[in-house]
Amino acid sequence: KSHNANAVDSPFITNHDNDRAFGALRRNFDNAKMAALVYLTMPGSPFIYYGEEIGMLGSGIDENKRLAMLWSTSGNCKNPANADWMDQICDPVNFQVGDYESLLHVYRMAIRLRAENPEIGRGEMQVINTGISDVCAWKITYNGKSIALVHNLSFLQEDATFTLPGATLNNYVSVIGGKPIVNGDQVTVPGYCTAVFALN
């Protein structure tokens, strides 16, 4: 933004030239869910490379990274002719769409968080130092309103408690269960959870 005050960030995990993210995330759906929650709640206009939202795999030659979207167990588009690896471990869209524990559902919830909180896409971001290495948090201000976005990335699934004055819980998405708690100026966010707090 030092070169263009009107610039808009465009966060993404992968695109058609990269190995698909699910492999780098250890083929772990919980890891993929947290990755989605983090990058889809960043300021700017994030991009989702098709298949990322259901956990598709693909690496090696470019054709393997551009396999057809798995819409269902039948009726999908054809894969690129030169693809030499086509194995997948994820369920297709028609299976995930009704599963509230699926990766696709978490992508939808992350998009919902953005829709409910216009600060996310349009506001000015400021890092919040919680003093906890597993917590990624920032304050975003837009049109005179501020929110705090908090991601507890603890692989050990440990709760994180820290000071966040004036916080009120707006909404949250928990990958493994548990609900954030506000107790005065202290907040507790469960492991593998994203929380949005309004700030007074």
Side-chain angles (χ1 to χ4, degrees):
K1 290 204 173 189
S2 61
H3 298 288
N4 182 353
N6 296 315
V8 177
D9 290 333
S10 300
F12 63 92
I13 298 181
T14 57
N15 61 35
H16 66 285
D17 289 322
N18 305 125
D19 290 352
R20 286 189 173 274
F22 194 60
L25 294 166
R26 302 180 180 179
R27 300 187 179 197
N28 182 297
F29 284 100
D30 289 345
N31 292 349
K33 290 172 183 178
M34 281 310 301
L37 287 165
V38 171
Y39 96 91
L40 290 176
T41 56
M42 288 181 172
S45 298
F47 286 85
I48 301 170
Y49 180 46
Y50 79 90
E52 198 168 80
E53 70 273 42
I54 61 171
M56 286 182 61
L57 290 165
S59 61
I61 61 174
D62 285 345
E63 289 83 353
N64 295 347
K65 305 165 190 173
R66 303 167 187 173
L67 298 176
M69 181 71 172
L70 296 180
W71 292 108
S72 67
T73 51
S74 62
N76 293 309
C77 298
K78 291 184 179 179
N79 287 314
N82 294 329
D84 61 11
W85 186 90
M86 301 179 207
D87 293 337
Q88 298 294 335
I89 63 172
C90 64
D91 289 326
V93 172
N94 68 328
F95 279 66
Q96 292 198 34
V97 74
D99 180 359
Y100 293 112
E101 295 185 1
S102 69
L103 178 56
L104 178 60
H105 179 70
V106 170
Y107 266 81
R108 288 179 162 184
M109 292 299 294
I111 293 168
R112 180 177 176 178
L113 289 180
R114 289 187 71 87
E116 291 176 345
N117 300 278
E119 297 87 352
I120 294 174
R122 302 173 188 152
E124 290 295 321
M125 174 179 158
Q126 179 183 357
V127 172
I128 297 173
N129 182 4
T130 65
I132 303 171
S133 60
D134 289 333
V135 173
C136 175
W138 54 84
K139 174 182 177 181
I140 308 175
T141 302
Y142 176 69
N143 277 353
K145 293 183 179 180
S146 296
I147 62 169
L149 264 162
V150 179
H151 308 279
N152 184 348
L153 306 174
S154 171
F155 283 107
L156 299 177
Q157 303 173 5
E158 294 176 337
D159 291 355
T161 300
F162 53 93
T163 301
L164 191 63
T168 303
L169 182 63
N170 262 4
N171 206 342
Y172 69 98
V173 179
S174 182
V175 170
I176 58 175
K179 179 179 179 179
I181 298 169
V182 178
N183 185 8
D185 284 346
Q186 297 286 307
V187 300
T188 299
V189 179
Y192 266 33
C193 178
T194 292
V196 181
F197 298 94
L199 298 176
N200 298 328

